[in-house]
Amino acid sequence: MLLLTAWLLWVHSTPTASAQTETRPHVRAKQVARLVRDYRKAEKHMQTCETIAARAIRKGLPFVEALVPLADEQCWRLLKQYPGQFGKRIAAADRIERAYVLEGSQQLQAQRKRLLQQAQIANRLRDAASLPRLHVLIRKRAKPGKESIPPDWPFTSYLELIEQELVGTWIDAQGRGYLTSVEREVLVLANQQRDEHGLPPLELDYDLCLASREHSRDMHRRHYFSHTSKVANRRTIGHRARRFGTSAVAENIGSCVSAAQAVSLWMASTGHKRNILDPQLHRVGIGHVGRKYTMMFGR
């Protein structure tokens, strides 16, 4: 009898399995809230954020899902600030090229590094939560014109595109008489070839430069390489030239890492070489954006 009474008392005093499981969500919610609070406090310290994100991934999906919106918003906030910071450095660069703008400012390099680290954290959390990577969020929030970004692009490539477009916008703002150092180098190298063949130098047509630069930018932004533009009113060489009030009868395009490589490849190609050395062609426009080079020729 005493044993039965003791057993009954033990049964009634011990929490059931269902009662124990009811306490778990409450405890987990507190843990999630604590993790979110820690992440908010550490927002300016990338290494600490990485550690907290790794902890969330180890703990499981509820912890990851709680951090994803924070990491996304932090990345988006940094991304909105970056173009203004990059734009301020363009005029101070030794050469108006993306790489030289970055090289000229340690502060800008540090800001870029922080942005890339934050994007990496956000993508790790998104991967753990089986969510689309950060570029999908960017595509949804981006201004019109960014819809051509490939879905598998890494964040670094997207950032380079932003930087290149900022450089292009600055160049366009200088007016029709402006030529970048890379574009001028193409002109010098092409005219050296003409001089070696006893031909007069090509003369710059600044309107053709605008048309050439526009085509290079289109190829760079829309990720194609062709003499036929993907834009309706820029399909042909003639269309592109007329948009800027001039004319053209031939065109060279290249996807290269330098002006020297572009001219070297053109001179090794029969058709491109013919354009550069054609004695009937006297005007030229040159446009460079990213790795895309365009030369448009007129009589």
Side-chain angles (χ1 to χ4, degrees):
M1 188 66 179
L2 288 172
L3 288 172
L4 178 61
T5 304
W7 179 78
L8 289 171
L9 288 171
W10 178 79
V11 168
H12 286 294
S13 63
T14 303
T16 63
S18 60
Q20 289 176 341
T21 56
E22 286 175 3
T23 62
R24 289 177 184 171
H26 177 66
V27 172
R28 188 169 59 191
K30 284 187 175 180
Q31 293 174 340
V32 169
R34 190 181 304 119
L35 196 74
V36 168
R37 187 168 60 249
D38 291 346
Y39 190 89
R40 287 188 186 279
K41 288 180 180 179
E43 278 190 346
K44 293 184 179 180
H45 305 283
M46 289 295 108
Q47 191 170 358
T48 306
C49 286
E50 287 176 356
T51 301
I52 295 172
R55 192 193 317 160
I57 292 170
R58 287 196 304 271
K59 283 181 172 291
L61 189 59
F63 296 86
V64 172
E65 289 178 336
L67 290 191
V68 166
L70 297 178
D72 285 352
E73 275 309 311
Q74 189 176 357
C75 190
W76 183 246
R77 188 166 59 250
L78 292 172
L79 186 60
K80 287 196 295 185
Q81 296 169 356
Y82 184 73
Q85 296 158 348
F86 186 90
K88 290 177 183 178
R89 299 299 311 174
I90 293 177
D94 293 336
R95 293 173 63 174
I96 309 304
E97 296 176 49
R98 187 189 68 82
Y100 282 89
V101 174
L102 288 170
E103 287 177 9
S105 172
Q106 291 185 351
Q107 182 182 7
L108 186 63
Q109 290 174 36
Q111 290 165 339
R112 190 179 197 271
K113 181 179 178 181
R114 184 185 173 200
L115 176 54
L116 290 174
Q117 287 175 328
Q118 182 57 46
Q120 190 175 39
I121 292 170
N123 276 330
R124 282 177 183 167
L125 290 167
R126 286 181 153 268
D127 288 345
S130 298
L131 292 171
R133 303 209 94 195
L134 195 61
H135 64 268
V136 177
L137 176 71
I138 292 169
R139 283 159 64 91
K140 288 179 179 178
R141 294 190 177 192
K143 296 178 181 179
K146 301 292 191 305
E147 64 277 359
S148 59
I149 299 168
D152 58 345
W153 254 30
F155 185 82
T156 307
S157 297
Y158 176 75
L159 191 57
E160 289 176 2
L161 177 62
I162 291 176
E163 293 163 346
Q164 190 61 58
E165 289 184 347
L166 288 167
V167 170
T169 300
W170 189 91
I171 291 171
D172 289 346
Q174 307 312 302
R176 62 184 294 277
Y178 185 81
L179 205 65
T180 69
S181 56
V182 176
E183 292 164 350
R184 193 167 295 281
E185 186 178 356
V186 171
L187 177 66
V188 169
L189 292 172
N191 277 335
Q192 284 178 356
Q193 294 293 332
R194 286 178 66 92
D195 184 63
E196 289 175 9
H197 289 79
L199 297 168
L202 293 164
E203 296 179 4
L204 269 181
D205 179 334
Y206 284 106
D207 293 321
L208 269 186
C209 286
L210 295 177
S212 299
R213 199 175 292 139
E214 181 180 65
H215 188 53
S216 289
R217 186 173 299 126
D218 272 349
M219 290 191 292
H220 178 75
R221 286 190 62 186
R222 298 173 187 275
H223 322 292
Y224 72 95
F225 184 65
S226 173
H227 291 286
T228 304
S229 174
K230 290 189 174 184
V231 183
N233 63 345
R234 307 174 193 171
R235 292 279 188 219
T236 67
I237 301 170
H239 287 152
R240 295 194 285 276
R242 284 193 293 274
R243 277 173 51 79
F244 294 92
T246 185
S247 62
V249 295
E251 181 181 72
N252 285 358
I253 59 174
S255 186
C256 310
V257 296
S258 67
Q261 185 188 44
V263 175
S264 177
L265 289 174
W266 287 333
M267 292 304 295
S269 165
T270 303
H272 297 91
K273 179 178 180 179
R274 186 187 306 120
N275 289 339
I276 292 174
L277 300 181
D278 190 335
Q280 302 300 316
L281 300 180
H282 304 288
R283 294 181 295 112
V284 69
I286 303 163
H288 162 250
V289 177
R291 290 193 173 194
K292 298 300 187 286
Y293 289 76
T294 301
M295 283 187 83
M296 296 179 71
F297 302 88
R299 293 190 175 93

